[in-house]
């Protein structure tokens, strides 16, 4: 989605543009409040069902339709709930029955990260994803890890950045990364 606050269609839409129609819409969007408007040589509209999710490029947030209206989607950060990170640098989950990257925090504040990743084009060291606030250590941490063919290094930064160094494009494991979140 390009935005979620328009009540009127843009003057010069581009083929494939999509918008969430804001409440009180007029013009070509009249009567389509909370629907998804898509431009394909003319406006077509999609009526959302409860549970639909979209990403709003204008504010960088995910939105979920609750059956009545669109709301900013917030992750379940209760103790024990797994968080699924958005991966950077062309990294993807290893797949093939292996656990994809995820992390959680327990009632004592212990954060556990697990899973395996691969980079099908080339190994790219650096920040792979960022932990949500409340899951971050008080200071930068270093952990040994395993990557196809040998050791790698994981840096868990107080900023929430999860970085890998000396990785391998075939697979790199995140399993065994545990630490206490800053209180």
């Amino acid at each position: 989605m390009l935005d979620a606050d328009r009540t009127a269609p843009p003057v010069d839409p581009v083929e494939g543009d999509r918008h969430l129609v804001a409440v009180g819409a007029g013009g070509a969007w009249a009567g389509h409040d909370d629907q998804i408007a898509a431009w394909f040589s003319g406006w077509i509209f999609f009526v959302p069902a409860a549970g639909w999710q979209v990403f709003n490029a204008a504010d960088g947030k995910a939105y979920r339709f609750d059956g009545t209206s669109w709301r900013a989607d917030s992750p379940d950060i209760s103790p024990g709930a797994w968080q699924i990170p958005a991966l950077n640098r062309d990294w993807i989950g290893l797949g093939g029955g292996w656990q994809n990257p995820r992390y959680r925090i327990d009632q004592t504040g212990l954060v556990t990260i697990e899973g395996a990743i691969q980079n099908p084009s080339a190994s790219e060291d650096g920040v792979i994803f960022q932990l949500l606030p409340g899951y971050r250590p008080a200071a930068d941490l270093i952990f040994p890890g395993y990557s196809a063919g040998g050791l790698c290094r994981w840096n868990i930064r107080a900023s929430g950045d999860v970085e890998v160094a000396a990785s391998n494009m075939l697979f790199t494991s995140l399993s065994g990364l545990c630490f206490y979140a800053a209180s």
Side-chain angles (χ1 to χ4, degrees):
M1 295 298 127
L2 293 175
D3 48 47
D5 57 0
R6 285 183 173 272
T7 56
V11 176
D12 294 317
V14 175
E15 193 77 7
D17 280 357
R18 293 168 315 281
H19 306 268
L20 285 182
V21 179
V23 174
W29 289 1
H32 295 285
D33 293 358
D34 285 327
Q35 294 180 16
I36 297 170
W39 179 261
F40 292 100
S41 300
W43 291 109
I44 60 172
F45 299 92
F46 299 91
V47 178
W52 279 23
Q53 294 179 334
V54 297
F55 178 77
N56 181 3
D59 65 10
K61 294 181 182 176
Y63 286 78
R64 179 186 302 269
F65 191 72
D66 65 9
T68 305
S69 63
W70 292 95
R71 301 189 187 282
D73 195 21
S74 55
D76 177 1
I77 58 171
S78 60
W82 286 105
Q83 304 303 316
I84 309 299
L87 303 177
N88 299 323
R89 302 181 168 280
D90 294 329
W91 286 95
I92 59 174
L94 183 59
W98 299 100
Q99 178 61 56
N100 285 325
R102 63 185 188 167
Y103 62 95
R104 69 177 173 188
I105 190 168
D106 71 12
Q107 292 84 353
T108 68
L110 181 68
V111 176
T112 302
I113 302 174
E114 65 179 32
I117 57 176
Q118 66 176 325
N119 192 321
S121 56
S123 177
E124 273 195 80
D125 292 343
V127 177
I128 304 301
F129 63 89
Q130 188 172 62
L131 299 167
L132 290 169
Y135 292 76
R136 300 170 179 177
D140 294 348
L141 302 171
I142 297 173
F143 293 92
Y146 185 77
S147 192
L151 295 176
C152 65
R153 184 181 82 223
W154 286 103
N155 302 320
I156 312 297
R157 305 285 185 182
S159 66
D161 288 347
V162 177
E163 302 173 336
V164 67
S167 63
N168 182 289
M169 67 186 276
L170 298 177
F171 78 86
T172 301
S173 174
L174 292 120
S175 297
L177 304 178
C178 294
F179 56 90
Y180 284 97
S183 49

